[in-house]
mmCIF file of all heavy atoms in Angstrom:
data_model
loop_
_atom_site.group_PDB
_atom_site.id
_atom_site.type_symbol
_atom_site.label_atom_id
_atom_site.label_comp_id
_atom_site.label_asym_id
_atom_site.label_seq_id
_atom_site.Cartn_x
_atom_site.Cartn_y
_atom_site.Cartn_z
ATOM 1 N N ASN A 82 -96.636 -13.110 108.741
ATOM 2 C CA ASN A 82 -95.278 -12.922 109.260
ATOM 3 C C ASN A 82 -94.522 -11.866 108.464
ATOM 4 O O ASN A 82 -93.757 -11.064 109.035
ATOM 5 C CB ASN A 82 -94.511 -14.244 109.220
ATOM 6 C CG ASN A 82 -94.989 -15.209 110.288
ATOM 7 O OD1 ASN A 82 -95.506 -14.786 111.322
ATOM 8 N ND2 ASN A 82 -94.846 -16.498 110.027
ATOM 9 N N ALA A 83 -94.728 -11.874 107.135
ATOM 10 C CA ALA A 83 -94.035 -10.904 106.298
ATOM 11 C C ALA A 83 -94.436 -9.476 106.669
ATOM 12 O O ALA A 83 -93.587 -8.575 106.762
ATOM 13 C CB ALA A 83 -94.328 -11.181 104.826
ATOM 14 N N LEU A 84 -95.729 -9.273 106.886
ATOM 15 C CA LEU A 84 -96.190 -7.935 107.246
ATOM 16 C C LEU A 84 -95.725 -7.519 108.636
ATOM 17 O O LEU A 84 -95.392 -6.351 108.887
ATOM 18 C CB LEU A 84 -97.722 -7.878 107.156
ATOM 19 C CG LEU A 84 -98.290 -7.819 105.735
ATOM 20 C CD1 LEU A 84 -99.777 -8.061 105.750
ATOM 21 C CD2 LEU A 84 -97.971 -6.493 105.083
ATOM 22 N N TYR A 85 -95.693 -8.482 109.586
ATOM 23 C CA TYR A 85 -95.184 -8.170 110.920
ATOM 24 C C TYR A 85 -93.721 -7.715 110.842
ATOM 25 O O TYR A 85 -93.328 -6.708 111.455
ATOM 26 C CB TYR A 85 -95.311 -9.404 111.813
ATOM 27 C CG TYR A 85 -94.669 -9.218 113.175
ATOM 28 C CD1 TYR A 85 -95.340 -8.568 114.201
ATOM 29 C CD2 TYR A 85 -93.387 -9.700 113.411
ATOM 30 C CE1 TYR A 85 -94.749 -8.385 115.434
ATOM 31 C CE2 TYR A 85 -92.776 -9.525 114.642
ATOM 32 C CZ TYR A 85 -93.464 -8.868 115.648
ATOM 33 O OH TYR A 85 -92.868 -8.687 116.873
ATOM 34 N N LEU A 86 -92.941 -8.456 110.062
ATOM 35 C CA LEU A 86 -91.529 -8.113 109.921
ATOM 36 C C LEU A 86 -91.359 -6.785 109.197
ATOM 37 O O LEU A 86 -90.488 -5.973 109.540
ATOM 38 C CB LEU A 86 -90.806 -9.234 109.166
ATOM 39 C CG LEU A 86 -89.298 -9.099 109.003
ATOM 40 C CD1 LEU A 86 -88.612 -8.969 110.362
ATOM 41 C CD2 LEU A 86 -88.736 -10.291 108.249
ATOM 42 N N PHE A 87 -92.233 -6.556 108.200
ATOM 43 C CA PHE A 87 -92.175 -5.309 107.445
ATOM 44 C C PHE A 87 -92.322 -4.102 108.375
ATOM 45 O O PHE A 87 -91.629 -3.089 108.243
ATOM 46 C CB PHE A 87 -93.274 -5.312 106.377
ATOM 47 C CG PHE A 87 -93.430 -4.017 105.641
ATOM 48 C CD1 PHE A 87 -92.618 -3.697 104.571
ATOM 49 C CD2 PHE A 87 -94.409 -3.097 106.029
ATOM 50 C CE1 PHE A 87 -92.775 -2.500 103.896
ATOM 51 C CE2 PHE A 87 -94.561 -1.899 105.357
ATOM 52 C CZ PHE A 87 -93.743 -1.602 104.281
ATOM 53 N N GLU A 88 -93.248 -4.211 109.344
ATOM 54 C CA GLU A 88 -93.479 -3.095 110.261
ATOM 55 C C GLU A 88 -92.281 -2.848 111.186
ATOM 56 O O GLU A 88 -92.089 -1.734 111.679
ATOM 57 C CB GLU A 88 -94.735 -3.357 111.101
ATOM 58 C CG GLU A 88 -96.009 -3.553 110.291
ATOM 59 C CD GLU A 88 -96.349 -2.381 109.399
ATOM 60 O OE1 GLU A 88 -95.807 -1.280 109.633
ATOM 61 O OE2 GLU A 88 -97.129 -2.554 108.460
ATOM 62 N N LYS A 89 -91.472 -3.890 111.433
ATOM 63 C CA LYS A 89 -90.308 -3.744 112.295
ATOM 64 C C LYS A 89 -89.108 -3.142 111.559
ATOM 65 O O LYS A 89 -88.140 -2.719 112.196
ATOM 66 C CB LYS A 89 -89.902 -5.119 112.839
ATOM 67 C CG LYS A 89 -90.963 -5.774 113.723
ATOM 68 C CD LYS A 89 -91.176 -4.996 115.005
ATOM 69 C CE LYS A 89 -92.167 -5.706 115.920
ATOM 70 N NZ LYS A 89 -92.422 -4.927 117.156
ATOM 71 N N MET A 90 -89.192 -3.120 110.228
ATOM 72 C CA MET A 90 -88.060 -2.667 109.433
ATOM 73 C C MET A 90 -88.158 -1.175 109.132
ATOM 74 O O MET A 90 -89.211 -0.557 109.290
ATOM 75 C CB MET A 90 -88.002 -3.458 108.108
ATOM 76 C CG MET A 90 -87.787 -4.946 108.267
ATOM 77 S SD MET A 90 -87.931 -5.837 106.714
ATOM 78 C CE MET A 90 -86.500 -5.212 105.855
ATOM 79 N N ASN A 91 -87.061 -0.641 108.675
ATOM 80 C CA ASN A 91 -87.058 0.712 108.129
ATOM 81 C C ASN A 91 -87.616 0.624 106.719
ATOM 82 O O ASN A 91 -86.900 0.275 105.777
ATOM 83 C CB ASN A 91 -85.630 1.251 108.119
ATOM 84 C CG ASN A 91 -85.533 2.604 107.425
ATOM 85 O OD1 ASN A 91 -86.534 3.274 107.211
ATOM 86 N ND2 ASN A 91 -84.324 2.991 107.070
ATOM 87 N N HIS A 92 -88.925 0.898 106.567
ATOM 88 C CA HIS A 92 -89.564 0.666 105.269
ATOM 89 C C HIS A 92 -89.677 1.945 104.445
ATOM 90 O O HIS A 92 -90.732 2.260 103.900
ATOM 91 C CB HIS A 92 -90.946 0.006 105.435
ATOM 92 C CG HIS A 92 -91.824 0.660 106.443
ATOM 93 N ND1 HIS A 92 -91.967 0.169 107.724
ATOM 94 C CD2 HIS A 92 -92.617 1.748 106.370
ATOM 95 C CE1 HIS A 92 -92.817 0.932 108.379
ATOM 96 N NE2 HIS A 92 -93.220 1.901 107.572
ATOM 97 N N SER A 93 -88.594 2.647 104.365
ATOM 98 C CA SER A 93 -88.560 3.825 103.495
ATOM 99 C C SER A 93 -88.070 3.486 102.103
ATOM 100 O O SER A 93 -88.100 4.337 101.210
ATOM 101 C CB SER A 93 -87.658 4.899 104.101
ATOM 102 O OG SER A 93 -86.325 4.407 104.234
ATOM 103 N N GLU A 94 -87.618 2.241 101.923
ATOM 104 C CA GLU A 94 -87.063 1.837 100.632
ATOM 105 C C GLU A 94 -88.149 1.215 99.744
ATOM 106 O O GLU A 94 -88.981 0.420 100.214
ATOM 107 C CB GLU A 94 -85.930 0.835 100.838
ATOM 108 C CG GLU A 94 -84.704 1.404 101.521
ATOM 109 C CD GLU A 94 -84.046 2.480 100.686
ATOM 110 O OE1 GLU A 94 -83.999 2.326 99.448
ATOM 111 O OE2 GLU A 94 -83.608 3.479 101.260
ATOM 112 N N THR A 95 -88.110 1.553 98.468
ATOM 113 C CA THR A 95 -89.069 1.012 97.496
ATOM 114 C C THR A 95 -88.974 -0.506 97.410
ATOM 115 O O THR A 95 -89.989 -1.197 97.254
ATOM 116 C CB THR A 95 -88.814 1.628 96.111
ATOM 117 O OG1 THR A 95 -88.944 3.042 96.202
ATOM 118 C CG2 THR A 95 -89.784 1.092 95.080
ATOM 119 N N TYR A 96 -87.780 -1.026 97.531
ATOM 120 C CA TYR A 96 -87.539 -2.451 97.306
ATOM 121 C C TYR A 96 -88.401 -3.327 98.211
ATOM 122 O O TYR A 96 -89.035 -4.276 97.750
ATOM 123 C CB TYR A 96 -86.060 -2.767 97.506
ATOM 124 C CG TYR A 96 -85.757 -4.232 97.420
ATOM 125 C CD1 TYR A 96 -85.695 -4.868 96.182
ATOM 126 C CD2 TYR A 96 -85.575 -5.008 98.571
ATOM 127 C CE1 TYR A 96 -85.437 -6.226 96.101
ATOM 128 C CE2 TYR A 96 -85.323 -6.352 98.493
ATOM 129 C CZ TYR A 96 -85.257 -6.965 97.257
ATOM 130 O OH TYR A 96 -85.010 -8.294 97.154
ATOM 131 N N ILE A 97 -88.422 -3.024 99.535
ATOM 132 C CA ILE A 97 -89.149 -3.913 100.439
ATOM 133 C C ILE A 97 -90.659 -3.768 100.254
ATOM 134 O O ILE A 97 -91.425 -4.706 100.485
ATOM 135 C CB ILE A 97 -88.739 -3.666 101.911
ATOM 136 C CG1 ILE A 97 -89.080 -2.238 102.354
ATOM 137 C CG2 ILE A 97 -87.276 -3.974 102.121
ATOM 138 C CD1 ILE A 97 -88.858 -2.022 103.843
ATOM 139 N N TRP A 98 -91.143 -2.606 99.812
ATOM 140 C CA TRP A 98 -92.557 -2.459 99.462
ATOM 141 C C TRP A 98 -92.897 -3.351 98.261
ATOM 142 O O TRP A 98 -93.951 -3.989 98.239
ATOM 143 C CB TRP A 98 -92.876 -1.004 99.136
ATOM 144 C CG TRP A 98 -92.915 -0.108 100.327
ATOM 145 C CD1 TRP A 98 -91.856 0.478 100.949
ATOM 146 C CD2 TRP A 98 -94.072 0.295 101.055
ATOM 147 N NE1 TRP A 98 -92.265 1.234 102.019
ATOM 148 C CE2 TRP A 98 -93.633 1.147 102.108
ATOM 149 C CE3 TRP A 98 -95.426 0.055 100.927
ATOM 150 C CZ2 TRP A 98 -94.508 1.723 103.018
ATOM 151 C CZ3 TRP A 98 -96.303 0.639 101.826
ATOM 152 C CH2 TRP A 98 -95.857 1.462 102.855
ATOM 153 N N ASN A 99 -92.004 -3.380 97.296
ATOM 154 C CA ASN A 99 -92.225 -4.228 96.120
ATOM 155 C C ASN A 99 -92.292 -5.700 96.501
ATOM 156 O O ASN A 99 -93.052 -6.479 95.914
ATOM 157 C CB ASN A 99 -91.115 -4.006 95.101
ATOM 158 C CG ASN A 99 -91.196 -2.651 94.435
ATOM 159 O OD1 ASN A 99 -92.211 -1.961 94.550
ATOM 160 N ND2 ASN A 99 -90.130 -2.252 93.744
ATOM 161 N N VAL A 100 -91.469 -6.099 97.496
ATOM 162 C CA VAL A 100 -91.486 -7.490 97.940
ATOM 163 C C VAL A 100 -92.861 -7.846 98.517
ATOM 164 O O VAL A 100 -93.427 -8.909 98.224
ATOM 165 C CB VAL A 100 -90.370 -7.738 98.978
ATOM 166 C CG1 VAL A 100 -90.528 -9.134 99.606
ATOM 167 C CG2 VAL A 100 -89.001 -7.608 98.336
ATOM 168 N N ILE A 101 -93.418 -6.966 99.358
ATOM 169 C CA ILE A 101 -94.736 -7.223 99.946
ATOM 170 C C ILE A 101 -95.815 -7.251 98.864
ATOM 171 O O ILE A 101 -96.701 -8.119 98.852
ATOM 172 C CB ILE A 101 -95.068 -6.165 101.008
ATOM 173 C CG1 ILE A 101 -94.086 -6.254 102.182
ATOM 174 C CG2 ILE A 101 -96.501 -6.330 101.506
ATOM 175 C CD1 ILE A 101 -94.179 -7.543 102.961
ATOM 176 N N ILE A 102 -95.760 -6.300 97.919
ATOM 177 C CA ILE A 102 -96.746 -6.264 96.826
ATOM 178 C C ILE A 102 -96.668 -7.552 96.005
ATOM 179 O O ILE A 102 -97.688 -8.143 95.637
ATOM 180 C CB ILE A 102 -96.507 -5.021 95.951
ATOM 181 C CG1 ILE A 102 -96.968 -3.766 96.710
ATOM 182 C CG2 ILE A 102 -97.233 -5.134 94.618
ATOM 183 C CD1 ILE A 102 -96.674 -2.469 95.994
ATOM 184 N N ARG A 103 -95.434 -7.996 95.758
ATOM 185 C CA ARG A 103 -95.266 -9.270 95.035
ATOM 186 C C ARG A 103 -95.871 -10.423 95.825
ATOM 187 O O ARG A 103 -96.485 -11.333 95.254
ATOM 188 C CB ARG A 103 -93.783 -9.517 94.777
ATOM 189 C CG ARG A 103 -93.463 -10.904 94.226
ATOM 190 C CD ARG A 103 -92.030 -11.003 93.744
ATOM 191 N NE ARG A 103 -91.071 -10.836 94.830
ATOM 192 C CZ ARG A 103 -90.618 -11.840 95.591
ATOM 193 N NH1 ARG A 103 -91.061 -13.068 95.384
ATOM 194 N NH2 ARG A 103 -89.718 -11.605 96.526
#
Side-chain angles (χ1 to χ4, degrees):
N82 287 334
L84 285 168
Y85 174 82
L86 184 57
F87 173 83
E88 301 302 342
K89 297 294 184 182
M90 298 173 67
N91 174 16
H92 48 261
S93 61
E94 293 296 322
T95 301
Y96 175 77
I97 62 172
W98 287 82
N99 290 347
V100 171
I101 296 295
I102 287 175
R103 171 169 64 88

